[in-house]
Amino acid sequence: MEEGSSLAASCPGRSNGGGEGSTGIIDLRPPGSSPAVDLTDRVHLLPCSIKHDGPCPVSHYFKPKQTDVVVDDLCLKEACFRGRKLQGVTVSLPPGYRGYVLDKSSESGKRSEASEGGFNRWLSRAEFGNLTFWNHDSLPSPDDPLIRCFHWFSVSNALHKPVTQAELDSAMSVQGRND
Amino acid sequence: MSSAPLPKWASKPCIMGIDEAGRGPVLGPMVYGCLYCSLSYQKTLTTLNFAEPIWVLPVKLLKFDVTKINLNEISHNSAIGLVKRVLDMGVLLTEVYVDTVGDAEKYRVKLSEKFPGVKFVVAKKADSLYPVVSGASIVAKVTRDRALRNWVLDETAENMQRNFGSGYPGDPETKAWLDRHKHMVFGFPTIVRFSWGTCKPYFKDFVEVVWESDKMDEDCPNNGRSKHQQKLSDLGFTGYKRKSEDIESSGKGRCKFFQARKLQLVSKF
């Protein structure tokens, strides 16, 4: 999830969470002149891992139903998967952010195999403006990790926003006064 | 039904029977039926002449998510709900006869505590012992059959059919229906009770699904589940390789802010 239409991403291994890292380009423009495929209202995050990767008749089998219950201003939905009842809410992505479904472009595949941790090229296949996340045991709440992930956006902004000369000056003057 | 005026005999002492239908079948609702009549009508009831002064009031339980709730508990709560509804309608219940699969005495004490003014008789095979329970049993079975016949499947995939048969595991029609309606990702349509033993042979045809909540369950294995119910995770629905990183990101090794949000830095694709 990022702003803008195209960006270069680099994940060098300086964080304690990652390994050696890799460098790549993510192209968020839809291919050709066609409009982007919009998956808004069709992206679901389930509380399980399904060991299958490929197309699936989701809308024929997975049937979320609205309930009368409201959780933190969001309408609670119910659905079933593999005999289990799920409870979920649809959350919009914060303004200025969009979700993208990325696909590794084939041409970069060979190149990155040749040099491990090498150059990757990613293409956007679809976009979405919201997503529905589902819990199995508990009602969705603002304490769920997915909702709390959105906190990162403001922290990230504060960390990475360029510092203006005015801000520098005022910070210096505060420091000066403290000395 | 509650809007209809109560018959006069309802204000004289009444007896009621409660029975269930659909505990065994692999698909469809479990139905609780009850039948009540005036105490003086009890003798006539044995002739099975189902004339006017019998009122029936079925209740349905449609969906199954038996990973968490004990089947006997569902059964008890449904019976309690029926007794409450009939009392609230203004029927003077003095005796209630209930069929049970589990411990009869514990169940009787539980019901008696809830409704101190009512005498409860709880027995195994009560449907063959007390005519009023036989009647309730018929109500439940007929209601279940009708519900199954008119069932509207949630799923809208092509070639979905409703010829489930009886839903009992031995029924060839039911078996054939299960076979035709399995899906490698979704399993069965939601009418099916996934945790029933009958489904087990089909799991090998499904892709593996690993649930976050099963991982947590392993720390507290017995949360009131009865012996006859199986955990979905016991039935090959979850994997032998239970690596948490397969299921979700953890933010492991990062600062608390990221761990709490399960934000992990992905550096290799």
Side-chain angles (χ1 to χ4, degrees), chain B residues 30 67 85 93 96 107 119 131 137 147 152 160 168 195 208 212 218-219 255 257 263 266:
Chain B
M30 203 147 104
T67 55
R85 264 172 74 183
L93 286 182
V96 175
Y107 191 10
K119 181 195 162 198
S137 168
V152 180
M160 292 295 239
Y168 279 91
S195 58
E208 192 192 334
E212 285 173 15
E218 279 177 355
D219 304 331
C255 80
F257 177 89
L263 274 171
V266 182

Side-chain angles (χ1 to χ4, degrees), chain A residues 15 49 51 60 63 82 137, chain B residues 156 207-208 210 213 261 265:
Chain A
S15 91
S49 157
K51 307 291 173 114
H60 282 305
K63 304 277 194 185
R82 291 263 178 127
D137 290 317
Chain B
T156 50
V207 298
E208 192 192 334
V210 185
S213 54
R261 287 158 184 80
L265 194 69

